[in-house]
Amino acid sequence: MELSEALARTSINRLTEFSSLSDVLEPDVIQSCLDSNGVATLRKRKLPMDAMVWAVIGMSLFRTESVRQLINKLDIVLPQEVDYVARSVVTQARKKLGSAVVRDVFHQSANTWHERAEHPQWCGLNLYGVDGVVWRTPDTKENSAQFARTANKAYEAGYPQVRMVCMMELSSHLILDSAFDSVAENEMNLAAKLVDKVPDNSLTTFDKGFYSLGLLYDWQQKGHNTHWLLPLKKGTQFEEVRSLGKQDKLIRIKTTPQSRKKRPYLPDVIEARLLTRQVKGKTIQILTSMTDCMAYPSSEIVDLYAHRWEIELGYREMKQYMLESRFTLRSNLPELINQELWGVLLAYNLIRYKMILMAKSLNGVFPNQLSFRDASSHIIHTLTMMPIYAPGNVPRIVLDIERNAAQFKLEGKRERSYPRCLRYLKTDTLSPKVNMPFTLSERHYPMTCVYPPFRVN
């Protein structure tokens, strides 16, 4: 975008002058992460390290631009005789920055933004979701050596892939923590790395694929009043202890010798609560650690599981809207892949925290009831008009949040119900028998969950 065009748009939109974006992502946070990782920031360099953190964030916010173009576009380069950088200089600067700095900036900012936000609660519990997503990387020799590829009898994926598991606060879509590794890594092993970040007074919803008594026991024992909820796995053997109400039971499940060998502290049996409901002719069984039937009413627990879909919507916002459906990451080296992924999560949280501030100006509106597509486009457009004048300083012009919030509010909620089908290739020479689609199961979910069942205590 030319400067004249940016100024013209600024005049049209009448964006208000703001002190800086330091109220969102403080320069001190970036500098402290650089210092703790021993990454020096030399002012005489064309690409100082503190400004390179914003360049990594810009890789996700400005997906259509090359890294070199967005650095020149955002005026991150220090003024010298030649105010542009070569591609090799950008790669060297990213290698010098590393992934640990961006990871630490993500963790510090996520904790700060999570504490500042006033999340709605259900029965005194904040609601979180844990689920996995897969990213594909460029097909380079280094990435292929580090990351595996998904495969079946018919074919192997053409790209090395990364498996990621995130923990998200579901009313705001803020990502609290994440763990990722090669796609060959099991999701439950990645989820186990998130146990240390489980907040007190929380309820975490899992997909049935995360059924592991060891993981669930660790999750519940980590903090104060930390609960979990997920569908009962088909074929699970259990013993009924007593009835807590109609279609509401306290049950006892035996742990396996293999799980006790992996976790010697794991008890022989785990007590949990099993609730059964009929939803559109289907029997739904939900397993949860919330065994106190007086504190946690059964009439709302099954409905809570529908909000797990919010994390799926978050992944869609991240991949399709923020990254504009450019699913393959940019980096050709594994260390830079890790750096880029932390940058993606940091950029997504940056937009989401801005949306939290927008929602606060609208009474009775939750952040996930604002359009991410429209709000993120507006925020990213504003960022294109905010050059960085000096290393460590962030842009000085930002949108008037309260004035623009109302236009991003979603009008209502749509519900869809349709069968899940396997997609197939029209011509499959390796597996000619797979030539017809078939239904796996019904999935019913809301496009945007509305609260209640949340209520602010």
Side-chain angles (χ1 to χ4, degrees), residues 1 12 26 28 52 56 66 68 74 164 168 176-177 198 219 295 389 403 405 430 455:
M1 178 185 297
I12 294 173
E26 294 87 348
D28 292 342
M52 279 303 300
V56 173
S66 68
R68 186 166 63 95
L74 294 178
M164 173 187 286
M168 174 185 288
L176 193 59
D177 200 3
V198 180
W219 207 272
Y389 296 105
R403 184 172 62 83
L430 297 178
R455 47 180 178 266

Side-chain angles (χ1 to χ4, degrees), residues 200-215:
D200 293 337
N201 301 312
S202 62
L203 171 60
T204 305
T205 60
F206 294 90
D207 187 69
K208 66 177 65 176
F210 288 87
Y211 180 84
S212 166
L213 293 181
L215 171 64

Side-chain angles (χ1 to χ4, degrees), residues 386-400:
M386 298 189 298
I388 297 179
Y389 296 105
N393 293 330
V394 289
R396 294 192 174 277
I397 300 175
V398 71
L399 70 165
D400 184 340

Side-chain angles (χ1 to χ4, degrees), residues 209-396:
F210 288 87
Y211 180 84
S212 166
L213 293 181
L215 171 64
L216 299 177
Y217 180 81
D218 289 346
W219 207 272
Q220 185 177 357
Q221 297 298 317
K222 179 56 186 178
H224 171 70
N225 216 22
T226 53
H227 294 288
W228 48 264
L229 180 149
L230 80 171
L232 181 68
K233 186 178 179 180
K234 186 177 181 180
T236 301
Q237 301 295 319
F238 59 85
E239 174 189 356
E240 181 178 346
V241 178
R242 67 176 182 271
S243 175
L244 302 177
K246 186 178 180 180
Q247 296 182 324
D248 188 356
K249 303 176 182 178
L250 182 66
I251 65 172
R252 186 177 291 130
I253 307 175
K254 291 183 178 181
T255 58
T256 63
Q258 293 82 0
S259 61
R260 291 195 298 271
K261 183 178 180 180
K262 185 177 180 180
R263 295 176 171 87
Y265 53 84
L266 195 64
D268 294 337
V269 295
I270 292 179
E271 288 191 352
R273 187 177 178 185
L274 179 63
L275 299 105
T276 305
R277 292 288 184 274
Q278 294 291 328
V279 179
K280 294 194 173 183
K282 294 183 60 178
T283 300
I284 305 296
Q285 291 185 302
I286 297 296
L287 194 66
T288 180
S289 61
M290 298 182 292
T291 56
D292 189 344
C293 58
M294 299 299 294
Y296 309 112
S298 61
S299 59
E300 297 179 359
I301 291 179
V302 176
D303 294 334
L304 280 176
Y305 182 72
H307 296 275
R308 189 203 68 82
W309 195 255
E310 291 289 334
I311 191 170
E312 301 282 4
L313 296 179
Y315 287 144
R316 183 180 69 176
E317 293 166 352
M318 202 181 302
K319 281 190 165 186
Q320 295 186 15
Y321 300 155
M322 190 178 76
L323 300 183
E324 300 183 5
S325 297
R326 290 171 169 83
F327 301 126
T328 304
L329 299 174
R330 299 172 181 251
S331 308
N332 293 326
L333 298 175
E335 174 66 9
L336 299 187
I337 286 290
N338 294 337
Q339 180 193 84
E340 184 177 351
L341 285 174
W342 287 118
V344 169
L345 298 176
L346 182 55
Y348 179 75
N349 268 5
L350 178 64
I351 295 175
R352 268 297 169 184
Y353 183 66
K354 278 297 186 185
M355 294 178 66
I356 290 176
L357 300 181
M358 290 179 179
K360 283 185 177 180
S361 66
L362 303 174
N363 294 329
V365 176
F366 296 97
N368 66 341
Q369 293 176 307
L370 299 179
S371 170
F372 180 86
R373 181 189 303 207
D374 296 338
S376 62
S377 297
H378 190 74
I379 293 171
I380 292 173
H381 165 73
T382 304
L383 289 175
T384 62
M385 298 182 290
M386 298 189 298
I388 297 179
Y389 296 105
N393 293 330
V394 289
R396 294 192 174 277

